[in-house]
Amino acid sequence: MAGNDRESQFAKAGAGTEVVPTCLTAGHVAKGPAPESRTTAWQRGTATYVPGMSLPDDRTLVPPDDLCLALGNIEFANRGVDRATVTERAERLLGAAEPHTNPHRTWLAILALLYAGDLESVNAQCERLECDPAWVGSHLCQELLLLLRARSNLLSGKARRATHMLKAVLDRGPSAQPASLAVAWLIEALVHLGELDGAHQVLVERKLAGPLDPDLPDRAYILAARGALHMSGGQFRHAIDDYLACGWVLSTFSVVNPAVIPWRSKAVFGALGARRYDLALALAEEELIAARKWGSPRGVGIALHAVGVARRDDTSVGVLEEAVALLALGRAHTELVQALYDLGMMHIRRQEMTRARKRLDEAAFVAYECRNTFWQERIRFALERLQAPDNTSTLTRQEEKIAYLARAGHSNRRIAEMNFLTVRTVEFHLSSVYRKLSISGRRELVTVLS
């Protein structure tokens, strides 16, 4: 399918997409029949998308009552419907007095709580499992517990702590599926910390920088993490490609809920960076529909953040303020820092400097609480620029054009070809841009020209 057709397809996909359960495997997916009231898709031989593990092929090895309720619950979560019921069922599964001898059931239940945004319950369950004899003595259970704790830490803004835990998982030499998920979440954490070289090194070491094997476990999470890395490095076209591919993989599993992976919201920023404004707005609006259907403060806040920046009109500030309020309510500090920063930058563009400083100060406080030095430095740079003249106005038309092409991820050679210039001329103009903007290279163009 051509790139534009694929973008159009996913811009139109959303909460109204028909849900057909698919096979819980790490490979290709064969669609199954519509869900029935008394059986799960796994019982029927098809099943549901669950990251981090595969169920045994022999369905007699797992007590059906335990597993079927947990699988049915995750099916509802993947569809993005009835969050209250999903949470209640997960807590019922985890409330049993006996040790959690079935790691599949426990993983599914806690994963549902993560999707619901109930990090307090997730942390309480993890503390309980740390003392559970069935989990203390199992290599697999210890890997899954570290993954759960790492994910909870990352979602609450503690990216550094999450990084240490995910590296510990990989040091244990886990099986393919937990390892693939740990790699994806590690890259995501490193990107949020601004450690792009480290994230790229993980991709290269795991041979994930090029085309991905269709049978790669948790391929959707790998694509989303790689998209985040491309975004942070200003490679917007590659980011869009990876996020759209992530959406395609999830669609084969009939996953609609953005709480699983908010790929549309993330792709919005790539589309904006590439000046694909119509695509950005379509993706943002569709994500908001699905997020509101699920109803978690974090999910709706992430979607509103994307909508606010995609609209680029007089409603944007109000939408971003609502996003900030919901992200704070959901304790989604990872996204809250970014939303506050974007709101501050939006106030700057509107010449509302007092409001800009207030929001940037709030972002700086959240970044400090999260011990995220990358975001602290980025916000400090923005605050300093409030006191300085806007040097972007001193760029010549040619310099501005080349600067935005570089920010979008084009190489010097490609920029030269697009503008009928020599590579040396492009290098000369970029050097002038860096000098005028008081920055050291391409990476900072993403901030200065945001």
Side-chain angles (χ1 to χ4, degrees):
M1 180 181 295
N4 290 341
D5 291 338
R6 182 174 60 176
E7 291 175 1
S8 176
Q9 173 188 352
F10 282 99
K12 294 176 181 176
T17 303
E18 182 180 356
V19 177
V20 184
T22 51
C23 186
L24 192 155
T25 64
H28 292 291
V29 182
K31 291 187 176 181
E36 301 170 10
S37 59
R38 295 181 180 273
T39 62
T40 65
W42 180 70
Q43 285 176 299
R44 298 190 299 272
T46 49
T48 272
Y49 175 64
V50 180
M53 66 160 45
S54 293
L55 296 176
D57 292 331
D58 186 350
R59 287 162 175 74
T60 65
L61 296 178
V62 182
D65 291 342
D66 282 346
L67 192 57
C68 290
L69 182 56
L71 274 172
N73 205 38
I74 275 293
E75 286 181 27
F76 271 97
N78 284 347
R79 298 175 202 173
V81 295
D82 207 347
R83 183 169 62 97
T85 299
V86 168
T87 302
E88 180 185 351
R89 288 177 177 174
E91 290 174 343
R92 192 187 313 154
L93 283 162
L94 294 165
E98 75 275 5
H100 296 88
T101 55
N102 184 342
H104 303 95
R105 179 192 67 179
T106 304
W107 172 261
L108 289 165
I110 299 181
L111 199 62
L113 293 177
L114 278 171
Y115 293 164
D118 191 353
L119 299 186
E120 185 175 344
S121 293
V122 170
N123 293 335
Q125 292 298 333
C126 287
E127 289 179 8
R128 181 182 178 187
L129 292 173
E130 286 177 348
C131 303
D132 191 318
W135 280 62
V136 171
S138 166
H139 187 81
L140 171 63
C141 290
Q142 287 299 299
E143 290 171 1
L144 296 178
L145 180 56
L146 273 172
L147 277 172
L148 290 168
R149 290 174 59 206
R151 191 59 177 171
S152 179
N153 274 279
L154 180 56
L155 294 180
S156 61
K158 302 179 181 71
R160 179 66 62 192
R161 188 179 301 174
T163 297
H164 294 321
M165 292 177 179
L166 293 164
K167 288 180 177 178
V169 172
L170 294 172
D171 288 343
R172 296 170 67 94
S175 57
Q177 198 146 16
S180 191
L181 190 60
V183 166
W185 288 352
L186 175 59
I187 292 168
E188 183 182 343
L190 289 171
V191 167
H192 190 62
L193 292 168
E195 298 180 10
L196 305 190
D197 291 340
H200 184 260
Q201 183 178 354
V202 173
L203 273 179
V204 172
E205 288 176 352
R206 297 279 169 170
K207 299 181 180 179
L208 300 172
L212 299 181
D213 185 341
D215 294 328
L216 177 71
D218 290 313
R219 185 163 157 239
Y221 274 99
I222 293 291
L223 286 163
R226 200 170 71 176
L229 178 57
H230 287 317
M231 261 299 305
S232 294
Q235 303 282 338
F236 301 117
R237 294 172 300 154
H238 294 310
I240 294 170
D241 287 343
D242 276 345
Y243 281 126
L244 292 178
C246 170
W248 180 84
V249 172
L250 291 176
S251 75
T252 64
F253 287 97
S254 299
V255 176
V256 176
N257 191 351
V260 179
I261 301 176
W263 64 271
R264 292 182 187 86
S265 290
K266 302 302 182 182
V268 165
F269 296 91
L272 289 172
R275 300 190 176 188
R276 302 291 304 278
Y277 301 126
D278 290 342
L279 175 64
L281 186 57
L283 289 168
E285 297 286 1
E286 290 294 348
E287 183 96 320
L288 183 57
I289 292 171
R292 281 183 168 153
K293 184 177 179 182
W294 178 238
S296 72
R298 175 179 177 269
V300 178
I302 290 173
L304 283 170
H305 180 193
V307 169
V309 297
R311 282 186 179 172
R312 303 166 65 244
D313 60 20
D314 292 340
T315 68
S316 293
V317 168
V319 173
L320 270 179
E321 287 174 345
E322 186 180 354
V324 164
L326 286 171
L327 291 171
L329 177 64
R331 298 181 181 180
H333 292 165
T334 296
E335 288 83 12
L336 179 59
V337 172
Q338 299 173 40
L340 283 166
Y341 177 85
D342 285 341
L343 181 54
M345 299 303 288
M346 191 171 291
H347 281 307
I348 290 175
R349 288 193 291 273
R350 294 163 63 96
Q351 299 298 307
E352 299 167 346
M353 299 308 176
T354 301
R355 292 180 179 179
R357 177 170 291 280
K358 178 177 181 294
R359 290 306 191 178
L360 290 173
D361 282 340
E362 291 172 1
F365 178 74
V366 177
Y368 172 77
E369 282 196 320
C370 295
R371 302 295 187 265
N372 192 316
T373 55
F374 167 71
W375 273 99
Q376 290 179 60
E377 181 65 19
R378 186 171 183 180
I379 295 163
R380 182 192 63 77
F381 182 76
L383 285 167
E384 287 179 353
R385 289 184 63 79
L386 279 175
Q387 308 299 326
D390 182 8
N391 290 328
T392 58
S393 62
T394 67
L395 298 181
T396 66
R397 181 176 299 180
Q398 184 79 302
E399 287 171 345
E400 183 177 0
K401 182 178 182 180
I402 289 174
Y404 273 101
L405 288 171
R407 176 181 177 272
H410 295 287
S411 68
N412 288 355
R413 182 173 298 280
R414 179 59 181 151
I415 294 172
E417 292 171 352
M418 294 167 70
N419 292 276
F420 304 102
L421 303 171
T422 66
V423 173
R424 185 180 296 275
T425 300
V426 172
E427 292 171 348
F428 173 80
H429 284 308
L430 281 176
S431 296
S432 178
V433 168
Y434 300 155
R435 186 184 74 260
K436 289 181 179 180
L437 298 182
S438 300
I439 60 177
S440 59
R442 284 172 176 257
R443 188 174 298 174
E444 293 176 72
L445 286 173
V446 178
T447 300
V448 175
L449 301 179
S450 61

